[in-house]
C-alpha cells in the first residue's frame, strides 16, 4: 500500500482492508461547483479507485471564491475538463473521467447506468437545482445506487444520505411539504467559499465511511450545518406516499 | 393556545424576531400559523424571503417539531408546540 495513504490507513478502525475497498470503489460526482470541487478533492486524495465528474457548465469569474480546482486561466473553459486535469494532477492513481453535460431526464440512464459492471458504488449530488436533484434521486433509486446529497447557501449547508437498499429510506423530497417541491430557487445563490468547503468535506467524510464500511450512515437524517453559530443540527422525515420525488417509486411507502 | 415559532439560520437575518409565541385558537393548523405569520410580519419581510401575493415563504423552507419535519400543513397543532423554521437549501 502506498505511503500516500499512511495517515488514514493507520487510523484505528480503518486499515488496509478499508483502503482497498476505497480503491475498488467508483463514484460519480454530479456537479463540479463549490461542493463538487471539495468532494472530488478529498475523495480522490483519499484513494477512491474511479471517479467520474459530470457538469455542463464553464468556469466563470464568480466561481473562484470557492471552486478551487479552477484558476483565472480557466475562465470560459469546461469545468469538467479543468476539474479532470486538476484531479489527475492531485491524485494520479485515480482513474478520473468526465461527462461534459448537465444531468437531464434524457441522459439520466446514460450518466447513471444501472447496477451492471461499470456502474457506481455511490453518486454524490453536488447539483444546484431541485429539478436535477429529482432526476438524480429517481435514477439512483431505480438502479439501487446510494446517493449522497449536499447543498449550501450563504453560511448554511445540508447533507442527506439516501440508500434505497436500506430499510425505511427517505428521499430529499420527503423533507418538503408537497407544494414546495416545485418552489423555484432564489437566484443568484450567495455562498461563502468556506461553507461549500465544509459541506463538501462532510460529504467526502461520509462517503469514505460508507464506501469502506467503516461507518454506518443513518438513512433518514439530514445534517444541517449552520455557519452563523457553528452548529450541526439534525432533521428527520417520514417517507411519504405523496412525496413528489419518490412517492411512486415503491409500494411500501406510508402516508 | 400558545405556539412558539423559532427562525433558524440565515432566515434570522431577515426576520424581526428569532423566536415568537403566537396565540392561536384551538385546532389551528400549520396553515393557520402561516396565515398568522403573514398578518404579523408579512409586510415587514423582504420580498426575497416572503411572497406577499402567496402569503408564504419565497423559496423552500422546512418547519419541524422535535427534529421531525412537517410535510402536511393541514395537521392540527398542539398547545406549547415549538416549531423551527429553516431554509431548505438548493445551491451547490
Ligand atoms: Zn421522497
Amino acid at each position: 500500500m502506498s505511503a500516500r495513504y499512511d495517515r488514514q490507513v493507520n487510523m484505528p478502525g480503518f486499515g488496509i482492508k478499508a483502503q482497498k475497498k476505497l480503491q475498488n470503489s467508483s463514484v460519480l460526482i454530479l456537479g463540479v461547483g463549490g461542493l463538487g470541487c471539495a468532494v472530488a478533492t478529498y475523495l480522490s486524495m483519499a484513494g477512491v479507485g474511479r471517479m467520474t465528474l459530470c457538469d455542463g457548465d464553464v468556469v466563470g469569474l464568480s466561481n473562484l471564491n470557492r471552486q478551487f480546482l479552477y484558476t483565472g486561466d480557466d475562465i470560459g473553459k469546461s469545468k469538467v475538463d479543468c476539474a479532470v486535469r486538476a484531479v489527475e494532477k492531485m491524485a494520479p492513481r485515480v482513474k478520473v473521467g468526465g461527462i461534459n453535460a448537465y444531468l437531464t431526464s434524457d441522459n439520466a440512464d446514460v450518466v447513471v447506468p444501472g447496477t451492471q459492471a461499470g456502474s457506481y458504488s455511490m453518486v454524490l449530488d453536488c447539483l444546484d437545482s431541485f429539478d436535477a436533484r429529482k432526476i438524480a434521486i429517481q435514477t439512483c433509486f431505480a438502479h439501487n445506487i446510494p446517493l449522497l446529497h449536499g447543498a449550501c447557501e450563504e453560511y448554511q449547508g445540508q447533507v442527506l444520505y439516501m440508500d434505497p437498499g436500506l430499510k425505511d429510506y427517505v428521499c430529499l423530497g420527503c423533507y418538503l411539504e408537497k407544494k414546495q417541491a416545485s418552489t423555484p430557487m432564489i437566484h443568484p445563490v450567495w455562498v461563502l467559499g468556506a461553507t461549500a468547503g465544509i459541506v463538501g468535506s462532510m460529504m467526502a467524510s461520509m462517503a469514505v465511511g460508507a464506501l469502506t464500511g467503516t461507518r454506518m450512515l443513518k438513512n433518514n437524517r439530514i445534517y444541517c450545518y449552520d455557519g452563523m453559530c457553528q452548529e450541526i443540527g439534525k432533521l428527520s422525515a417520514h417517507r411519504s406516499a405523496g412525496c413528489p420525488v419518490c412517492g411512486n417509486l415503491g409500494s411500501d411507502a406510508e402516508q | 393556545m400558545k405556539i412558539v415559532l423559532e427562525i433558524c439560520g440565515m432566515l434570522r437575518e431577515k426576520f424581526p424576531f428569532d423566536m415568537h409565541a403566537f396565540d392561536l385558537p384551538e385546532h389551528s393548523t400549520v396553515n393557520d400559523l402561516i396565515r398568522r405569520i403573514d398578518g404579523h410580519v408579512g409586510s415587514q419581510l423582504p420580498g426575497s424571503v416572503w411572497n406577499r401575493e402567496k402569503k408564504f415563504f419565497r423559496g423552500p423552507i422546512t418547519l419541524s417539531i422535535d427534529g421531525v419535519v412537517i410535510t402536511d400543513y393541514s395537521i392540527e397543532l398542539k398547545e406549547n408546540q415549538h416549531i423551527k423554521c429553516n431554509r431548505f437549501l438548493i445551491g451547490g
Side-chain angles (χ1 to χ4, degrees), chain A residues 52-76:
Chain A
T52 304
L53 308 174
C54 175
D55 201 316
D57 202 4
V58 295
V59 179
L61 185 59
S62 66
N63 300 149
L64 299 185
N65 77 324
R66 65 201 183 283
Q67 299 179 22
F68 49 76
L69 292 178
Y70 318 123
T71 70
D73 293 339
D74 296 325
I75 289 169

Side-chain angles (χ1 to χ4, degrees), chain A residues 170-174 239-240 243 245-247:
Chain A
V170 297
C171 89
L172 197 62
C174 295
R239 189 167 181 221
S240 157
C243 171
V245 181
C246 75

